[in-house]
Amino acid sequence: MHKNIEPSILYFGTPVVLVTTLNEDGSPNVAPMSSAWWLGWNCMLGFGARSKTPQNLVRQKECVLNLPSETMVSAVNGLARLTASDPVPPHKLAMGYRHEKNKFAIAGLTPVPSDLVNAPRIRECPVQLEAVLEQSHPFGHNPHRPPTALGLEVRVIRAHIDESILLEGYENRIDPDLWRPLMMSFCHFYGLGERLQDSTLAEIPESAYRPAAHMGLATANQFQ
Ligand SMILES: Cc1cc2nc3c(=O)[nH]c(=O)nc-3n(C[C@H](O)[C@H](O)[C@H](O)COP(=O)(O)O)c2cc1C
């Protein structure tokens, strides 16, 4: 028996991403977010438009997508309800947010230089993806009010992966049994469970998904 209900949020469970950007004064910013999905080497990020990170990303046209493992949950939680925006937007003030200039120190995270973008990577994250902005879309069409969110499409241009999660015997593969992403579901933190059963999709060689023009990273992909 299903019931018609109207949940306030529809956050059914996605990985947490720590997006790093540069503020106007050149200082680094880091924001946890989880409205993110990937297709090929492109990624769509959903952000409230009044947050500092999307403003930095639109201005600077680059960022790093740092993926924390589940062991980093306390660091990520330490970033919650902080913003680099000053003054803090009224809707965030009402939800108990405060301005914080040095979020890295508060969370015990270490910024390290990237190869191709000015935004820093986060040393503690096993996955660090340098990316450039491709397109920005108003998001959340609603006939009753203007959109307050942005869909920011970024393209990954360099991937740094901790050796501890690489699939043994392969140059370019991550072992999904070793990668333990931190997940957010309905604003609570979870890890992934164990692999459930053999996957028909995984019978396709992973190399079939490689973008056609390697490192030009055009987005040819089995799903497109
Ligand atoms: C686990 C987690 C997931 C979040 N996911 C999102 C998200 O997907 N999109 C978003 O706009 N904000 C999300 N937030 C809230 C932002 O982190 C928050 O708006 C923050 O103030 C952004 O920092 P900034 O203003 O310095 O960019 C999330 C927060 C947490 C703790």
Side-chain angles (χ1 to χ4, degrees), residues 128-204:
Q128 307 152 354
L129 306 173
E130 299 182 32
V132 292
L133 182 68
E134 288 293 350
Q135 295 189 67
S136 167
H137 314 264
F139 185 83
H141 178 73
N142 180 332
H144 307 297
R145 60 170 174 76
T148 56
L150 291 173
L152 299 178
E153 182 188 335
V154 300
R155 179 167 51 89
V156 174
I157 55 172
R158 179 143 300 173
H160 306 259
I161 311 295
D162 194 285
E163 285 177 353
S164 65
I165 61 168
L166 294 181
L167 184 62
E168 207 180 321
Y170 293 85
E171 271 284 291
N172 288 303
R173 290 185 66 177
I174 293 163
D175 187 337
D177 288 325
L178 297 178
W179 168 227
R180 300 285 90 196
L182 176 63
M183 308 294 292
M184 196 271 270
S185 176
F186 291 94
C187 293
H188 290 277
F189 294 115
Y190 291 86
L192 274 188
E194 297 305 308
R195 190 185 290 197
L196 296 177
Q197 64 161 59
D198 288 343
S199 161
T200 303
L201 188 66
E203 290 168 8
I204 301 167

Side-chain angles (χ1 to χ4, degrees), residues 11 14-17 19 21 23 29-36 45-56 76-77 79-85 89 91-92 97-98 100 103 149-150 182-184 187-189:
Y11 300 161
T14 43
V16 174
V17 184
V19 180
T21 54
N23 297 314
N29 190 20
V30 50
M33 60 89 66
S34 56
S35 302
L45 304 169
F47 268 111
R50 286 174 289 176
S51 290
K52 192 70 176 174
T53 296
Q55 294 166 359
N56 288 347
V76 173
N77 198 37
L79 293 167
R81 298 204 290 186
L82 301 180
T83 177
S85 298
H91 73 289
K92 283 194 173 177
Y97 278 74
R98 69 176 171 84
E100 175 55 53
K103 294 194 226 168
L150 291 173
L182 176 63
M183 308 294 292
M184 196 271 270
C187 293
H188 290 277
F189 294 115

Side-chain angles (χ1 to χ4, degrees), residues 41-42 132 134 155-157 210-220:
W41 275 49
N42 289 59
V132 292
E134 288 293 350
R155 179 167 51 89
V156 174
I157 55 172
R210 179 163 289 281
H214 183 50
M215 297 327 283
L217 302 172
T219 56

